[in-house]
């Protein structure tokens, strides 16, 4: 168990267990690195860089986008800060630049906490934690959201891991997603409609090569198989599996051909567990209203088989 030097993303918390290692950054509680028996399972980024494409960060109290940053609370329009200025949206919640504090630590786990204070467009007070725990074959992640407000608070949670399998080029990996709907979006990536994946290029219930996909897409109607929502498979049979509990009914898949890798560029894929789809503060879909004094606990995980 080591605490690495301070970086632009704050302190770096390293945890280890039986050949597995994870490094979590203080800012945004980002999963900056995960490896098992020397095989990298997530896309890492340098200590002197902020997370590219939101790599590994925790998304609270909403993942993805809120269109125009506007939603309605008891008939009153609420205006969030526009953090995706080019698309005029509020994106990825309120903690992506917040330093989490260490609450608990063991050799193989760390719990970090951060507070959401009342602010523009979100008049609620939340105490949040995230626990990263190395387990046999992977990592378990547990979130808690406690409502410190006097009124019910709307909350959704997501995380933004980029997954990989060692040095196998990501474009050569096969991706399976156990979801039977997807969200059609407009030019600003805000949802227009939820549609069945049947007969479309969004049907990933049978594996497709990542290199053939161009996605920044939310999927719904997630029907996990033994808790698994998505699978990355290498040509040699190795697999990385994303686990989601019942609270995580949605998953976002984001492919990008421009991700820094060893000084060059390569393909990468983020597979993001979410409790709600884009614009949930307006649609209400998947949105959890947490009662005053209530603590909501939820989780997801990553497993690797070599």
């Amino acid at each position: 168990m080591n605490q690495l030097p301070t970086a632009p993303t704050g302190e770096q918390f390293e945890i280890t267990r039986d050949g597995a290692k994870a490094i979590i950054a203080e800012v945004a509680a980002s999963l900056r690195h995960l490896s098992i028996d020397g095989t990298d399972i997530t896309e890492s980024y340098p200590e002197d860089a902020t997370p590219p494409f939101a790599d590994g960060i925790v998304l609270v109290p909403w993942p993805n986008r809120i269109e125009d940053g506007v939603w309605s609370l008891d008939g009153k329009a609420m205006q969030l800060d526009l953090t995706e200025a080019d698309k005029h949206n509020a994106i990825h919640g309120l903690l992506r630049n917040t330093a989490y504090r260490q609450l608990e630590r063991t050799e193989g786990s760390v719990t970090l906490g951060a507070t959401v204070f009342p602010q523009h467009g979100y008049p609620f007070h939340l105490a949040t934690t995230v626990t990263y725990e190395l387990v046999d074959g992977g990592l378990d992640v547990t979130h808690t959201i406690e409502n410190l407000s006097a009124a019910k608070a709307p909350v959704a949670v997501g995380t933004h891991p980029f997954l990989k399998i060692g040095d196998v080029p990501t474009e050569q990996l096969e991706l399976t997603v156990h979801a039977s709907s997807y969200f059609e979006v407009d030019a600003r990536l805000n949802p227009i409609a939820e549609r069945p994946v049947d007969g479309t290029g969004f049907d990933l219930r049978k594996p497709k090569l990542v290199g053939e996909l161009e996605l920044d897409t939310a999927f719904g109607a997630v029907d996990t198989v033994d808790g698994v929502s998505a699978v990355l498979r290498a040509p040699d049979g190795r697999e990385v599996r994303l686990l989601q509990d019942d609270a995580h009914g949605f998953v976002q898949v984001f492919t990008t051909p421009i991700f820094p890798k060893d000084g060059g560029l390569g393909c990468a894929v983020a597979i993001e567990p979410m409790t709600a789809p884009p614009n949930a503060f307006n649609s209400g879909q998947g949105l959890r209203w947490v009662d005053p004094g209530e603590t909501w606990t939820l989780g997801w995980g990553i497993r690797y088989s070599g």
Side-chain angles (χ1 to χ4, degrees):
M1 177 177 65
N2 299 304
Q3 189 159 311
L4 304 182
T6 298
T9 48
E11 294 184 29
Q12 310 289 299
F13 303 100
E14 180 178 309
I15 56 177
T16 59
R17 181 182 188 271
D18 296 335
K21 180 174 76 172
I23 300 174
I24 295 88
E26 178 184 11
V27 175
S30 170
L31 179 59
R32 194 174 72 78
H33 171 87
L34 175 63
S35 60
I36 299 176
D37 295 328
T39 299
D40 287 347
I41 305 304
T42 63
E43 293 283 0
S44 302
Y45 56 92
E47 292 179 41
D48 61 354
T50 55
F53 302 101
D55 186 3
I57 73 171
V58 175
L59 315 172
V60 174
W62 72 87
N64 217 285
R65 296 164 175 84
I66 297 177
E67 185 173 2
D68 296 317
V70 175
W71 64 287
S72 178
L73 177 63
D74 298 329
K76 179 182 178 181
M78 309 299 291
Q79 178 64 66
L80 296 156
D81 291 338
L82 299 179
T83 48
E84 190 181 37
D86 61 328
K87 295 182 175 63
H88 207 260
N89 298 318
I91 190 170
H92 290 344
L94 299 172
L95 295 178
R96 66 179 301 175
N97 297 307
T98 296
Y100 282 64
R101 61 196 179 279
Q102 178 182 305
L103 300 178
E104 295 181 12
R105 185 88 172 270
T106 70
E107 183 176 359
S109 70
V110 64
T111 298
L112 304 176
T115 302
V116 176
F117 290 101
Q119 56 192 277
H120 298 161
Y122 195 79
F124 301 100
H125 189 189
L126 309 176
T128 81
T129 72
V130 56
T131 298
Y132 293 95
E133 181 180 9
L134 292 168
V135 297
D136 289 344
L139 180 75
D140 280 347
V141 184
T142 304
H143 301 268
T144 70
I145 311 292
E146 181 184 4
N147 183 7
L148 305 178
S149 310
K152 289 185 177 182
V155 180
V157 178
T159 316
H160 207 291
F162 281 85
L163 302 181
K164 63 180 296 184
I165 300 179
D167 59 0
V168 179
T170 301
E171 57 268 27
Q172 295 179 15
L173 301 176
E174 290 184 333
L175 173 63
T176 303
V177 179
H178 301 301
S180 57
S181 71
Y182 76 98
F183 289 82
E184 182 183 355
V185 296
D186 61 18
R188 293 192 293 140
L189 299 180
N190 291 304
I192 298 169
E194 183 177 6
R195 304 193 185 280
V197 299
D198 304 81
T200 74
F202 299 98
D203 190 348
L204 302 180
R205 293 172 296 185
K206 293 184 178 180
K208 291 187 178 180
L209 285 173
V210 173
E212 297 176 354
L213 301 174
E214 293 185 13
L215 297 173
D216 194 351
T217 305
F219 292 85
V222 174
D223 187 12
T224 60
V225 177
D226 296 326
V228 175
S229 61
V231 180
L232 277 179
R233 184 179 177 85
D236 61 8
R238 289 180 292 165
E239 289 187 347
V240 170
R241 299 179 296 279
L242 181 71
L243 280 63
Q244 298 184 192
D245 68 6
D246 291 342
H248 289 84
F250 304 86
V251 62
Q252 180 88 8
V253 179
F254 170 50
T255 60
T256 173
I258 48 171
F259 197 98
K261 302 177 76 171
D262 299 325
L265 299 176
C267 176
V269 59
I271 310 174
E272 311 163 31
M274 305 188 301
T275 67
N279 210 28
F281 274 29
N282 286 300
S283 70
Q285 188 174 8
L287 194 63
R288 173 70 178 260
W289 287 85
V290 182
D291 287 323
E294 179 187 1
T295 298
W296 181 29
T297 302
L298 59 153
W300 60 279
I302 298 171
R303 295 292 186 273
Y304 169 69
S305 58

